[in-house]
Amino acid sequence: PKMKEDNCLHAALLCLGVLCYSHALTTERLNHSRPSLHGHHEKGKEGQVLHRSKRGWVWNQFFVIEEYTGPDPVLVGRLHSDIDSGDGNIKYILSGEGAGIIFVIDDKSGNIHATKTLDREERAQYTLTAQAVDRNTNRPLEPPSEFIVKVQDINDNPPEFLHENYHANVPERSNVGTSVIQVTASDADDPTYGNSAKLVYSILEGQPYFSVEAQTGIIRTALPNMDREAKEEYHVVIQAKDMGGHMGGLSGTTKVTITLTDVNDNPPKFPQSVYQMSVSEAAVPGEEVGRVKAKDPDIGENGLVAYSIIDGDGMDLFEITTDYETQEGVVKLKKTLDYETKKSYSLKVEAANVHIDPKFISNGPFKDTVTVKIAVEDADEPPVFLKPSYIFEVQENAASGTVVGKVHAKDPDAANSAIRYSIDRHTDLERYFVINAEDGNIKTIKALDREEMAWHNISVFAVEVHKQHQEAKVPVAIKVVDVNDNAPKFAAAYEAFVCENARSNQQFITISADDKDDSANGPRFIFSLPPEIIHNPNFTLRDNRDNTASVLVRREGFSRQKQDLYLLPIVISDGGVPPLSSTNTLSIRVCGCDSGGSLLSCNAEAYVLNAGLSTGALIAILACIVILLVIVVLFVTLKRQKKEPLIVFEEEDVRENIITYDDEGGGEEDTEAFDIATLQNPDGINGFIPRKDIKPEYQYLPRPGLRPAPNSVDVDDFINTRIQEADNDPTAPPYDSIQIYGYEGRGSVAGSLSSLESATTDSDLDYDYLQNWGPRFKKLADLYGSKDTFDDDS
């Protein structure tokens, strides 16, 4: 049906366009047809008369309807010149936009046709140029002239929205007429011609909740109190129709999704009136007991709920916090519980919205309450001391077995088991105390000294008799009460100095005291001299009544020569009950001072002068000491000279400098390896030294070759014999030459190490195996052959 309606519409528009075109053509012809005008004569060169003729066009502004789909080309218009007599000598030429492609002209009649379908939305007009020329010579008969062909619009484009889908939000419970969103459509048809581009908006889907303004496309709410919790999203279809919305107009649609945003229009509500919970009495504070939740259909900050306890007998023992992730109220333990004291508690919990919209305050109250009942469960609890800590006092030096105090614990459970007590020995390493396991009495084992330790901090355990794992611990502080058992003493090791020229009643030192006892048994201190020396002629004592005392000089004129040190006993008493005192000795040294009282010297010069040694005596003593030192030096020098050898040339004996060591001694400095005298010339020792620079009077036979010494000869004898031969041999080298003694000795336990000598001895080694080593070792096998082989050869 819709296609038929569109075809009928196109046909009607086409007929309408043809009628309009015919009417316009007739009108144009009547208005624009002009007869040919004769031109006036002008005189040109060489006397020629030129005739100027005016153009005589039948001129139109042509129109053509777009989207024409007929079988024949559309006649756009006709060109005709006044000089055209109809004999066919004039030829019409068309040029310009679309000439020859879209527009063609009959060169005889001047009729212009459109050969293609035109679309105004692609191009609204074309500019063409027409000209009349002579058919034979192509000489222009008229100047070219432009004309316009306009494409006449028809309603061939439906409205189109800017977006295919729109999304919009509007608060729930908005008033009627609240603007939601504006949608806009456009039409490609000519808005200046007819109603083809005049649009009207209407709503196809989404009624009765929303409406749309026909001219602006603004969508507004149409119903009051739309509830998001009932329906959150709406789908609306908007139509835009041209031709002013009349019959035959084209239309386009778009979809709009409208979401209702949340407002706080719903209070929180508990799904039940009572919550039942339970907790053990052994639970620690902060432990979670249970959770409650009030439902609020609102979302976001509008659905936030805060929980609080507003009433109940457990307000001091329980607390509630809000878990904002789950929107639950978390009931927690605030203090410890006791099943034996109270077995159940009741709380009244309130849930209220955090953010309240003033517009909907009349819908309130935005809160709800619920009752929470909590049952306390019994648990096996450890013993409980009656006090969290204990403080006792005991006097120092109290006898062993003195009662210090008593601790007490009980079983909080209904069974009320018996309790046993003990001391944590890690807190009483010295074992000063003991506790009675039955009644908790604490006693001393040894005497206590406050000056050694003023406080003792111990811990006492209490355990159930039948349940050893259930125990409790309590701190016990024991204060040792002071008694006056320490006498006061000097606060420091005082040493006083008094000048020889000190004046009478002159103060030269201030002393103070110290007491190990407590302040109640210590100061104030009283200073005095012993009764036997209260009338001391040299010094006196003055108590300053501020726990100090001053020592003064009683007389003038002290002398170091007579006495340089005085010992003054001082009695110090404390303020304890009963008071204690002690006698302390003050050493006073006599010193030399200048006239201003400044200390110069406190040495023992007085004792030196008192011995009667003058300066001359001291010089004599020093002179004697110097003489003794000189004598000692001379004696040592003479001693060294006696040790020098009498024969000077003995130091040049080269043979004495060649020392042979036969052991691993202490190095080059070790001359104790053997007696070097055995190497000396025996004749030289007896005082006879043969001369080596003259020929002896008697002739010796040539020295026979060396013969081996008998096995029993000693090295000492052998060397002496060789020395004697060398001294008596006129052919021997000079005296200062190096003598060579080639003797190895005999009968060594280790045996000889010479390979040459071993060659002359019989060998026990068997070298027959060399015969099996092949040709390469044949010569070696022949040299070291078996003994039998040599015997056979012989």
Side-chain angles (χ1 to χ4, degrees):
K2 187 174 182 181
M3 294 180 63
K4 287 184 178 181
E5 181 180 350
D6 292 341
N7 293 333
C8 295
L9 179 62
H10 283 86
L13 292 174
L14 183 59
C15 295
L16 182 62
V18 171
L19 292 175
C20 293
Y21 168 72
S22 302
H23 178 71
L25 183 60
T26 305
T27 305
E28 290 293 336
R29 286 180 175 178
L30 293 173
N31 293 332
H32 297 285
S33 59
R34 295 176 299 180
S36 297
L37 298 177
H38 298 282
H40 59 277
H41 300 279
E42 292 183 1
K43 185 178 289 186
K45 294 179 180 181
E46 297 180 358
Q48 294 179 353
V49 178
L50 300 178
H51 298 277
R52 181 181 181 186
S53 58
K54 293 184 179 180
R55 182 180 58 190
W57 288 93
V58 179
W59 197 246
N60 291 318
Q61 182 177 6
F62 301 117
F63 295 89
V64 61
I65 297 176
E66 67 171 335
E67 302 294 345
Y68 175 73
T69 57
D72 299 325
V74 179
L75 178 63
V76 177
R78 180 182 180 187
L79 298 178
H80 182 73
S81 176
D82 292 343
I83 62 175
D84 185 4
S85 59
D87 54 2
N89 292 327
I90 295 178
K91 180 181 179 182
Y92 295 97
I93 300 174
L94 185 66
S95 62
E97 298 173 347
I101 300 173
I102 300 175
F103 303 100
V104 295
I105 188 171
D106 188 345
D107 58 355
K108 293 182 179 180
S109 62
N111 292 332
I112 301 173
H113 292 83
T115 60
K116 293 184 178 181
T117 303
L118 303 179
D119 188 358
R120 189 202 66 83
E121 286 70 34
E122 292 182 1
R123 188 158 191 165
Q125 65 181 18
Y126 297 86
T127 302
L128 299 173
T129 302
Q131 189 175 20
V133 299
D134 186 273
R135 183 177 297 274
N136 297 320
T137 62
N138 286 330
R139 181 176 61 85
L141 302 177
E142 293 287 343
S145 181
E146 288 185 353
F147 64 95
I148 296 174
V149 177
K150 290 187 175 181
V151 181
Q152 194 170 11
D153 182 49
I154 63 173
N155 189 17
D156 59 342
N157 291 283
E160 292 183 0
F161 285 92
L162 299 180
H163 302 286
E164 184 178 355
N165 294 291
Y166 289 84
H167 295 274
N169 298 322
V170 64
E172 63 173 331
R173 299 188 181 277
S174 297
N175 296 327
V176 176
T178 301
S179 176
V180 179
I181 191 175
Q182 183 178 14
V183 294
T184 303
S186 61
D187 197 320
D189 292 328
D190 188 1
T192 63
Y193 181 78
N195 294 327
S196 298
K198 185 178 182 181
L199 304 181
V200 174
Y201 299 93
S202 61
I203 184 168
L204 301 182
E205 295 181 15
Q207 296 174 332
Y209 306 104
F210 300 95
S211 62
V212 64
E213 293 184 357
Q215 305 300 325
T216 62
I218 297 176
I219 301 175
R220 300 181 182 274
T221 58
L223 285 180
N225 298 325
M226 284 190 292
D227 191 3
R228 185 199 64 83
E229 289 73 29
K231 186 176 182 180
E232 183 176 6
E233 193 173 82
Y234 295 85
H235 298 282
V236 178
V237 178
I238 302 298
Q239 175 184 266
K241 191 174 183 181
D242 58 13
M243 298 299 293
H246 294 93
M247 183 70 66
L250 303 180
S251 63
T253 59
T254 187
K255 293 181 180 179
V256 182
T257 301
I258 301 175
T259 303
L260 297 183
T261 58
D262 185 61
V263 297
N264 191 8
D265 58 341
N266 294 283
K269 188 72 176 177
F270 284 105
Q272 58 195 68
S273 59
V274 179
Y275 284 86
Q276 298 287 346
M277 300 179 184
S278 60
V279 62
S280 173
E281 64 172 336
V284 296
E287 187 172 334
E288 181 178 328
V289 178
R291 292 182 175 232
V292 298
K293 184 174 183 179
K295 295 183 178 180
D296 191 330
D298 296 324
I299 60 175
E301 67 175 14
N302 297 318
L304 294 180
V305 178
Y307 297 88
S308 61
I309 299 175
I310 60 175
D311 198 5
D313 55 2
M315 293 183 63
D316 296 335
L317 300 175
F318 299 93
E319 62 181 356
I320 189 169
T321 60
T322 303
D323 187 347
Y324 286 102
E325 292 184 1
T326 61
Q327 290 298 304
E328 293 177 323
V330 183
V331 181
K332 295 182 179 180
L333 186 63
K334 190 176 181 181
K335 296 180 180 180
T336 56
L337 302 176
D338 186 8
Y339 173 80
E340 290 71 25
T341 302
K342 191 174 178 61
K343 297 178 175 58
S344 64
Y345 296 89
S346 179
L347 302 175
K348 188 175 183 180
V349 177
E350 180 184 79
N353 279 134
V354 178
H355 303 282
I356 299 177
D357 194 338
K359 296 179 182 179
F360 306 101
I361 194 68
S362 59
N363 297 349
F366 286 85
K367 57 186 176 180
D368 193 17
T369 58
V370 71
T371 301
V372 178
K373 293 184 177 181
I374 303 174
V376 181
E377 297 177 349
D378 189 21
D380 188 9
E381 301 175 272
V384 177
F385 283 94
L386 299 185
K387 295 181 180 179
S389 62
Y390 292 86
I391 300 178
F392 299 127
E393 292 184 354
V394 61
Q395 283 192 349
E396 66 173 328
N397 302 326
S400 176
T402 303
V403 177
V404 177
K406 181 179 180 180
V407 297
H408 183 68
K410 66 176 182 177
D411 183 10
D413 297 326
N416 195 16
S417 301
I419 305 298
R420 292 291 181 268
Y421 303 93
S422 63
I423 295 177
D424 183 2
R425 287 305 171 188
H426 293 92
T427 60
D428 185 26
L429 297 176
E430 301 295 333
R431 295 185 176 271
Y432 288 106
F433 307 97
V434 67
I435 190 170
N436 190 312
E438 302 290 338
D439 57 11
N441 277 323
I442 301 175
K443 298 180 181 179
T444 60
I445 300 178
K446 58 178 74 173
L448 305 177
D449 187 0
R450 190 204 69 86
E451 288 71 38
E452 182 180 347
M453 186 179 294
W455 285 87
H456 294 266
N457 297 304
I458 64 174
S459 297
V460 176
F461 288 112
V463 298
E464 297 182 13
V465 175
H466 302 292
K467 299 176 182 178
Q468 297 293 329
H469 65 282
Q470 294 289 3
E471 68 176 13
K473 186 177 181 180
V474 68
V476 178
I478 301 173
K479 179 181 179 182
V480 181
V481 180
D482 182 52
V483 296
N484 193 15
D485 58 348
N486 291 279
K489 297 180 181 180
F490 275 156
Y494 293 106
E495 186 176 3
F497 301 92
V498 63
C499 295
E500 289 181 308
N501 57 357
R503 299 185 303 275
S504 179
N505 292 326
Q506 179 181 350
Q507 175 184 335
F508 59 90
I509 189 172
T510 300
I511 59 175
S512 62
D514 189 14
D515 196 330
K516 294 182 179 180
D517 292 325
D518 198 3
S519 59
N521 294 315
R524 112 166 167 83
F525 300 120
I526 300 174
F527 300 86
S528 63
L529 297 176
E532 60 270 16
I533 62 167
I534 193 170
H535 299 292
N536 187 297
N538 299 315
F539 306 100
T540 184
L541 185 69
R542 181 178 64 199
D543 193 341
N544 297 326
R545 299 182 179 277
D546 59 353
N547 296 322
T548 64
S550 300
V551 182
L552 297 86
V553 177
R554 174 166 285 185
R555 66 178 178 86
E556 297 181 356
F558 291 91
S559 174
R560 284 181 290 172
Q561 296 180 3
K562 295 181 179 180
Q563 186 175 352
D564 68 335
L565 180 66
Y566 294 88
L567 301 178
L568 181 64
I570 299 176
V571 179
I572 307 175
S573 302
D574 60 20
V577 179
L580 295 180
S581 62
S582 65
T583 301
N584 301 263
T585 301
L586 177 66
S587 298
I588 305 173
R589 186 174 296 278
V590 180
C591 301
C593 303
D594 58 10
S595 58
S598 298
L599 193 67
L600 295 179
S601 176
C602 293
N603 55 22
E605 182 182 353
Y607 288 97
V608 175
L609 296 176
N610 194 24
L613 296 177
S614 61
T615 304
L618 292 175
I619 294 174
I621 292 172
L622 292 176
C624 291
I625 293 174
V626 171
I627 292 172
L628 289 175
L629 291 175
V630 171
I631 293 173
V632 171
V633 170
L634 292 175
F635 178 78
V636 172
T637 304
L638 293 175
K639 199 73 170 167
R640 288 182 177 178
Q641 290 179 354
K642 287 181 179 181
K643 290 183 179 180
E644 294 180 356
L646 298 177
I647 303 175
V648 179
F649 61 84
E650 287 182 0
E651 295 180 356
E652 300 177 356
D653 191 352
V654 178
R655 292 176 297 177
E656 292 186 3
N657 295 333
I658 301 174
I659 302 173
T660 303
Y661 292 86
D662 198 17
D663 62 347
E664 296 180 5
E668 296 178 358
E669 300 297 331
D670 187 3
T671 60
E672 301 297 331
F674 55 87
D675 188 6
I676 195 171
T678 58
L679 297 178
Q680 294 178 348
N681 191 346
D683 296 335
I685 298 176
N686 297 328
F688 173 75
I689 302 175
R691 298 192 58 178
K692 299 295 181 179
D693 55 347
I694 61 174
K695 185 176 181 181
E697 295 179 359
Y698 48 89
Q699 187 71 28
Y700 283 87
L701 294 175
R703 187 172 65 173
L706 295 177
R707 61 182 181 272
N711 293 335
S712 61
V713 70
D714 189 32
V715 174
D716 190 7
D717 298 336
F718 172 79
I719 294 177
N720 290 329
T721 302
R722 291 293 180 266
I723 293 175
Q724 201 169 19
E725 292 177 356
D727 291 339
N728 298 324
D729 187 1
T731 63
Y735 173 76
D736 57 352
S737 64
I738 298 175
Q739 301 296 325
I740 299 173
Y741 304 97
Y743 174 67
E744 294 185 355
R746 295 284 181 177
S748 174
V749 179
S752 176
L753 299 178
S754 174
S755 60
L756 297 176
E757 184 178 359
S758 63
T760 61
T761 61
D762 295 336
S763 176
D764 296 330
L765 296 176
D766 185 10
Y767 296 98
D768 293 340
Y769 62 90
L770 295 175
Q771 300 291 340
N772 301 326
W773 283 15
R776 291 187 179 183
F777 298 93
K778 184 176 184 304
K779 193 167 187 64
L780 186 63
D782 295 336
L783 292 175
Y784 291 89
S786 63
K787 184 176 181 182
D788 297 338
T789 304
F790 289 108
D791 293 341
D792 295 341
D793 295 339
S794 61

